[in-house]
Amino acid sequence: QIVGHKEIRNLQVLAQKCQLALHKCYIEMGLQEKELGILSALTLGYREELDKRVQQSFSASGAMHVLAVSGLHTGIVWSILVWLLTLGGRLKPLYHERWKRYLTSAIIILLLWGYAFITGLSPSVMRSALMLSFLECSFLLKQRTSRWNPVLAAAVIILVFNPLSLW
């Protein structure tokens, strides 16, 4: 019997439960061992079931960073979303209409944060999602920004909410 235990309920715990639920969906689809571990690591950032030999192989080849969901993955998701929502760039001439610009940016930001949520809201994914959200807002407002401003703003916001994410 657990005594004096209070379950922590916050957004990060909810995101990790969502991540585990999606991992269980992979298991129910029939994925096993190596494939399950690699797919879970690449898409969800869930590396618990990643085989040690696979980890060593990726590490020895210098590609271990590919298995860690990070800003690279978030940037790829953002690029795909922008491409899909502008139909491969064909909607750019019509993009001058304000409501289309707002709608497209809102959808991109929501889906980007949805991706960050299903990956467990790790600090690296949150940082890149914040940076890309700021970048999307600057596109929305037709403002040019320095590349360092979104980085600094994302770092400050993350550290205000969780100072330990620095480590």
Side-chain angles (χ1 to χ4, degrees):
Q1 179 179 18
I2 299 174
V3 178
H5 174 73
K6 183 178 178 185
E7 187 174 328
I8 299 173
R9 291 190 175 259
N10 63 18
L11 195 60
Q12 185 118 26
V13 171
L14 189 63
Q16 289 171 349
K17 286 182 180 180
C18 179
Q19 182 185 40
L20 285 174
L22 289 170
H23 177 70
K24 287 179 184 174
C25 287
Y26 286 167
I27 293 171
E28 290 171 4
M29 285 194 280
L31 294 172
Q32 297 175 1
E33 297 179 18
K34 285 184 183 179
E35 295 84 10
L36 175 66
I38 292 173
L39 184 65
S40 292
L42 284 173
T43 58
L44 302 174
Y46 185 79
R47 295 178 14 187
E48 304 302 319
E49 291 192 23
L50 194 59
D51 187 38
K52 297 294 179 195
R53 289 177 43 187
V54 172
Q55 281 184 345
Q56 289 172 349
S57 298
F58 272 86
S59 182
S61 67
M64 189 62 175
H65 64 281
V66 173
L67 292 178
V69 174
S70 63
L72 172 68
H73 293 81
T74 311
I76 292 170
V77 168
W78 177 75
S79 299
I80 291 170
L81 288 173
V82 169
W83 188 82
L84 286 175
L85 290 173
T86 60
L87 298 176
R90 283 182 240 155
L91 288 183
K92 294 258 183 192
L94 302 175
Y95 199 65
H96 68 277
E97 294 179 35
R98 180 178 285 184
W99 71 270
K100 286 182 182 178
R101 194 169 62 237
Y102 284 133
L103 181 64
T104 304
S105 292
I107 291 170
I108 288 171
I109 290 171
L110 283 173
L111 290 175
L112 195 63
W113 280 99
Y115 174 73
F117 189 78
I118 65 169
T119 60
L121 290 175
S122 67
S124 62
V125 174
M126 281 182 24
R127 174 191 45 80
S128 60
L130 267 173
M131 288 170 43
L132 291 169
S133 297
F134 291 144
L135 188 65
E136 193 62 40
C137 288
S138 72
F139 292 155
L140 181 66
L141 300 172
K142 296 182 179 180
Q143 298 290 318
R144 293 190 51 84
T145 182
S146 166
R147 61 183 167 179
W148 298 109
N149 290 344
V151 174
L152 181 61
V156 167
I157 290 171
I158 289 172
L159 290 175
V160 163
F161 285 105
N162 184 8
L164 295 177
S165 63
L166 183 64
W167 286 276

